[in-house]
Amino acid sequence: MYKIYENCPVFHNEKITLRHTNEEDTLELLNCYSDEKAVPLFNSDNCNGDTFFYTTPERMKQGIDFWQFCYETKQYVRMTIILNSTNEIIGTVEMFNRGAAYFYGVHGILRIDVMSKYEEEEVLRAVLELAHIHFYQEFGVEWIVTKAVNEAVIRRETLAKLGYIPMKSFALDHYYGRGEHENRNPF
């Protein structure tokens, strides 16, 4: 398995920092997961009916506890997104190796959950930049695939600018992917 499951590193660029999500993040993450404008943009595919709309600290903590269990059992990694300029927690990313599928090869699913006021190109670009630099190797994937529903206009535009393409033959709708060896580096 991958080293990220032994010791989750911290990744950062000028705009944001990604670090392993922990229980101390509960109250600040509640700002994201109780944001009624943000929740419809989250990827809850294959999450057993969880929509990630959490309105109490207790429910948020349950979510974090489950994410920790999934990390310990090497299912996926959930990382907190911190805005460097204010040290504010603005959301999370989740990443996991989904294996090989179709003609895309080994791919990972990247979930990006941010508060609605941060659903902007600059923040999304910073998250995707860190994923591009680190996640192919950390998760042993050739493609990073992420979801952007029709209502996520800024997200879809940002993905297109960064070379993500619609995954037409993917099993679920609204997915976009980018291969590790894409020639154009938009970052």
Side-chain angles (χ1 to χ4, degrees), residues 169-186:
S169 64
F170 206 64
L172 301 166
D173 293 331
H174 310 294
Y175 280 84
Y176 297 78
R178 181 183 164 119
E180 178 179 15
H181 301 294
E182 174 71 27
N183 290 332
R184 187 174 62 93
N185 186 352

Side-chain angles (χ1 to χ4, degrees), residues 22-36:
N22 62 59
E23 189 176 323
E24 288 78 38
D25 299 338
T26 299
L27 293 179
E28 283 191 80
L29 281 178
L30 191 58
N31 294 326
C32 178
Y33 289 94
S34 66
D35 183 340
E36 293 180 358

Side-chain angles (χ1 to χ4, degrees), residues 66-168:
F66 184 72
W67 298 340
Q68 181 59 32
F69 168 78
C70 291
Y71 175 76
E72 290 168 2
T73 57
K74 300 175 175 48
Q75 296 176 53
Y76 58 77
V77 177
R78 185 69 74 147
M79 301 180 84
T80 297
I81 305 169
I82 302 166
L83 192 62
N84 293 339
S85 62
T86 62
N87 211 32
E88 178 184 10
I89 291 175
I90 63 170
T92 69
V93 297
E94 174 186 304
M95 180 72 181
F96 62 94
N97 180 321
R98 190 166 182 245
Y102 312 108
F103 59 88
Y104 298 114
V106 177
H107 65 284
I109 302 294
L110 174 65
R111 300 178 197 265
I112 304 171
D113 301 344
V114 294
M115 287 189 285
S116 58
K117 70 181 183 179
Y118 294 109
E119 181 75 18
E120 60 185 29
E121 182 176 345
E122 189 177 0
V123 169
L124 296 170
R125 177 181 282 271
V127 170
L128 293 163
E129 176 186 35
L130 289 177
H132 183 74
I133 292 169
H134 300 286
F135 287 2
Y136 292 105
Q137 181 177 351
E138 291 288 342
F139 291 92
V141 298
E142 301 167 80
W143 281 81
I144 292 176
V145 178
T146 192
K147 185 172 185 174
V149 295
N150 290 337
E151 297 79 12
V153 175
I154 294 170
R155 188 175 297 216
R156 288 185 300 119
E157 290 172 354
T158 302
L159 290 168
K161 288 178 183 177
L162 299 178
Y164 282 75
I165 60 171
M167 307 297 276
K168 300 243 185 253

